Amino acid sequence: MIAIPLPWMIGSMVTVTVGAMLKLPLALPNRLRSVMVVVLGIMLGSGFTPAILPQLGDWALSLSTLVLYVIVSGAIGIWYFRKLCDYGPITSYFSAMPGGLSEMTVVGGEMGGDSRKISLTHAWRILTVIMTLPFLFQLWLAYDPATRPSVGLPMTEVPLEDMALLTACAVAGYFIAKGLRIPAAAIVGPMILSAAVHLAGWTTANPPSELIAVAQVVVGAAIGCRFVGISLAFIGRSIVAATGGTVILAAISLLFAWVLHNVTGLSFAALFLAFAPGGLAEMSLIALSLSLDSAFVATHHIVRIFIIVVCAPLLFKILQQLWGDPRSEQAE
C-alpha cells in the first residue's frame, strides 16, 4: 500500500477522475456533498482544545505572524497564477490560498472558480510537500518516517453524548451560518461551533473515523466528477502550474521560519513545520518523530486553516467588487 496524505479523499478523487476521463456516466448529488462538508467542518473545529490555551502566550508572535504569512503567500500566489499561468481571478485567488484542499475547492467552486484547477493545485501541493519533507529531514536530522496516526475513534467507541453534541454543532452551525449568509456555511458554521465546545471543554471527541473517511471519499468523488470530458493535457498543465505555486509557498515558509527563529529563538525545524504548506496530521507526525513540539506545529496549522476558511471567502467578497463580479470560470 502506498502511504499518501489524505488517502480517502485523494484516492477517491483520482479514481473518479480516471473514470471521468474514460467517459463513464458519473455524478454525485450536491446535497450529499454538502452534508459531508459539514463533517469536515466539525473535524477541523475539534482541533481546538483547552490544552493549547496556556501555551498561546509563548507562541503569540509566531501565531500572529500567520496572518501576515497568509496575506503574503496569498498575494504572491494570486499574482503567479494570474499573470504566469493565465488563470482567472477567482481560480487564482482560491488556488493561491496556503491551505485547505477540500475547503478551498468547495468555496472556490461555489464562488465561480474552476474547482478542477483549484483541487489539482492543492492536491499536488499536499502530495509534493508530504512526499518531499520526510526525505529532506532524513538527510538533515536523521528523521525516520512512521505510520500516520488515524483521526477520530471508531464509531462504536464515541460516547453517545459526544455524538449528540457534535451533531448539534453540525446542524446548528450550518443553519446559523446559512441564515447569516456566511460564505461556505457548511464548513464555517459547524467549524466555529465545534471549536467553541472543544475550547470550553464540553467534549474532546472528534467525529467517528468511519464518518471522516466517508466524508473525504464523498468530497473527493465530487471533485473527480468535475473532470468528465477533461483531457490529460488539461491535467498536465494544471500540475505544472501547481508545482510552481508549491515552490513559491515552500520558499515563503522557509523565509518566515528563518526570520522568526532569529527573532524568537524558537526551533527553526519546528517553525518550518509549523509554516510548511502540508497537512495538519502529517506535519504534526513529523514533529513528533523529531522530538519537536508537535502541539506547537499542530496549533499553527489549525490556526492557519481557521484563518483561511473563515477569512478567505469574506476577503474574496471585498475583492470581487474591485474585479467587477467576474463571470464563472468553470468552463475555462
Side-chain angles (χ1 to χ4, degrees), residues 15-224:
T15 302
V16 175
T17 297
V18 171
M21 298 291 293
L22 295 175
K23 302 186 184 303
L24 297 179
L26 300 171
L28 191 143
N30 286 332
R31 186 169 297 178
L32 175 60
R33 185 200 65 176
S34 296
V35 171
M36 293 298 103
V37 167
V38 167
V39 174
L40 296 180
I42 294 294
M43 182 188 70
L44 289 175
S46 67
F48 288 83
T49 65
I52 71 173
L53 295 178
Q55 305 179 65
L56 293 182
D58 297 333
W59 307 344
L61 181 59
S62 57
L63 283 170
S64 60
T65 307
L66 282 169
V67 176
L68 180 61
Y69 168 78
V70 171
I71 293 173
V72 171
S73 56
I76 295 175
I78 291 171
W79 176 87
Y80 165 77
F81 286 111
R82 190 78 179 101
K83 300 300 182 181
L84 301 185
C85 302
D86 198 29
Y87 281 12
I90 305 173
T91 303
S92 296
Y93 180 88
F94 289 101
S95 295
M97 291 299 105
L101 187 159
S102 59
E103 297 86 6
M104 292 302 97
T105 299
V106 171
V107 179
E110 290 177 352
M111 297 296 185
D114 191 330
S115 57
R116 303 162 304 171
K117 292 179 180 178
I118 298 170
S119 63
L120 273 173
T121 298
H122 288 287
W124 188 253
R125 168 181 57 80
I126 292 172
L127 282 169
T128 303
V129 171
I130 302 307
M131 292 182 177
T132 301
L133 271 187
F135 294 102
L136 295 178
F137 275 110
Q138 190 172 17
L139 291 174
W140 294 343
L141 300 169
Y143 161 64
D144 184 19
T147 304
R148 294 186 310 113
S150 59
V151 178
L153 293 173
M155 187 170 292
T156 55
E157 297 182 19
V158 179
L160 289 178
E161 56 270 25
D162 288 324
M163 282 290 292
L165 182 58
L166 295 181
T167 300
C169 288
V171 175
Y174 172 76
F175 284 106
I176 291 173
K178 194 76 171 177
L180 295 175
R181 297 185 177 181
I182 296 175
I187 293 176
V188 175
M191 183 178 69
I192 291 175
L193 282 191
S194 176
V197 299
H198 281 85
L199 282 172
W202 295 352
T203 180
T204 60
N206 294 326
S209 56
E210 298 92 342
L211 192 56
I212 294 172
V214 170
Q216 293 186 24
V217 168
V218 170
V219 172
I223 294 168

Side-chain angles (χ1 to χ4, degrees), residues 227-241:
F227 288 83
V228 174
I230 302 302
S231 67
L232 287 174
F234 176 91
I235 296 176
R237 289 193 300 269
S238 298
I239 287 178
V240 170

